[in-house]
Amino acid sequence: MSSSKETAKSLIQTKSRSSIRNMFNEVAPTYDFLNHLLSLGIDNYWRVVAAKKARKQVEGEREPKILDVATGTGDLAASMAKIPGAKVTGYDLSPEMLAIARKKYPSIEFIEGYAEKLPFADKSFHVVSAGFGVRNFENLEQGMKEFHRVLKPGGCAYIIEPMIPRNPVMKKLYLIYFKNVLPKIAGMFSKSTFAYDYLPNSVEQFPQAEAFTKILKNAGFKKAEYFPMTFETSILYVATK
């Protein structure tokens, strides 16, 4: 177990793209089940909140084009696909996750690739979304510049990430669950205990709230806001080009 934790900490430092891909390939079979179990099903609500905001933004567009990066098994892409007329593309670096996404949502196009080099023209999309994935980018700043590049002027990025509560009592309880309980539960259902040692460490290391909105503004976004959700256990960032 300790070697798993050490490997997880090492990956936090390197964010090696091939190691991240291998990790997600490994957890793909149990990914959906564990996501819903470990978040008590609230992860679905967080996606609905993001999609509602995106729907309001693209109101009046006949065929809003939406790119969901780090799409995983496609749940956020599917939420975005409920927007009237939306043409959604899902994008991820893990072929095993994408294989599951294609089975779940055959009407959505899914493409394999990495975020720092999106294979799309400038100003291609009205919306770029990402659910629980940007903290895994090998180069976060470059990824955000790519989000900005492929968005049309006035377009928005919607980024959901786990949040560490700022209230001291909530923070303590959250970290006990996240670091001690969650990996043990995950270990009962997944062969990859490493992935669930990586998860709490990756959340702790990720720039939160104002620190991340600053990165978004440095990437070129003219406006970046954040909206904490569910007792500050999750956070939605909205960045406007």
Side-chain angles (χ1 to χ4, degrees):
M1 188 68 175
S2 60
S3 64
S4 168
K5 285 182 178 172
E6 289 310 311
T7 311
K9 282 180 182 173
S10 167
L11 185 53
I12 299 294
Q13 303 305 319
T14 65
K15 290 288 170 72
S16 155
R17 189 177 297 130
S18 60
S19 298
I20 296 281
R21 183 192 295 114
N22 291 341
M23 179 179 72
F24 280 108
N25 282 340
E26 196 176 314
V27 300
T30 53
Y31 182 80
D32 282 344
F33 169 72
L34 279 171
N35 256 8
H36 303 325
L37 174 70
L38 297 171
S39 72
L40 309 176
I42 303 167
D43 58 313
N44 292 316
Y45 163 72
W46 298 332
R47 292 184 190 95
V48 168
V49 171
K52 274 188 177 174
K53 283 189 181 288
R55 180 175 183 155
K56 205 169 179 185
Q57 178 223 319
V58 298
E59 232 164 16
E61 291 291 345
R62 200 168 54 85
E63 193 183 68
K65 291 185 171 56
I66 299 171
L67 175 66
D68 186 48
V69 182
T71 196
T73 60
D75 286 350
L76 183 54
S79 293
M80 292 291 176
K82 291 175 182 167
I83 295 170
K87 187 179 185 305
V88 180
T89 303
Y91 187 81
D92 198 277
L93 54 60
S94 164
E96 297 296 328
M97 299 285 265
L98 289 174
I100 293 168
R102 290 184 184 111
K103 278 184 194 164
K104 284 166 66 180
Y105 307 113
S107 61
I108 297 174
E109 181 187 24
F110 292 99
I111 298 171
E112 186 183 332
Y114 59 94
E116 293 88 346
K117 196 175 181 183
L118 298 174
F120 307 104
D122 296 359
K123 304 172 187 172
S124 296
F125 297 95
H126 298 91
V127 167
V128 174
S129 61
F132 314 104
V134 303
R135 74 183 181 284
N136 303 314
F137 290 0
E138 192 170 75
N139 185 326
L140 178 61
E141 290 78 7
Q142 179 58 28
M144 295 308 97
K145 283 176 185 171
E146 281 291 272
F147 279 26
H148 182 270
R149 179 183 67 77
V150 300
L151 275 169
K152 295 175 182 289
C156 286
Y158 298 88
I159 298 165
I160 310 169
E161 280 296 325
M163 183 179 186
I164 294 175
R166 292 172 289 193
N167 174 286
V169 177
M170 279 297 295
K171 180 177 180 178
K172 192 174 181 181
L173 291 170
Y174 180 83
L175 289 175
I176 288 169
Y177 172 70
F178 221 32
K179 288 186 161 183
N180 302 315
V181 181
L182 181 148
K184 284 188 174 71
I185 296 171
M188 291 163 64
F189 300 98
S190 172
K191 289 180 291 183
S192 180
T193 54
F194 156 65
Y196 294 95
D197 283 323
Y198 167 82
L199 174 64
N201 282 292
S202 69
V203 174
E204 270 196 299
Q205 294 298 317
F206 190 73
Q208 184 166 291
E210 290 86 358
F212 185 53
T213 56
K214 189 178 178 185
I215 289 170
L216 289 164
K217 286 175 182 172
N218 288 343
F221 288 97
K222 66 180 180 188
K223 186 179 176 188
E225 306 169 272
Y226 63 88
F227 303 90
M229 300 183 286
T230 318
F231 308 111
E232 295 194 333
T233 56
S234 183
I235 186 166
L236 171 65
Y237 297 93
V238 180
T240 309
K241 183 169 178 176

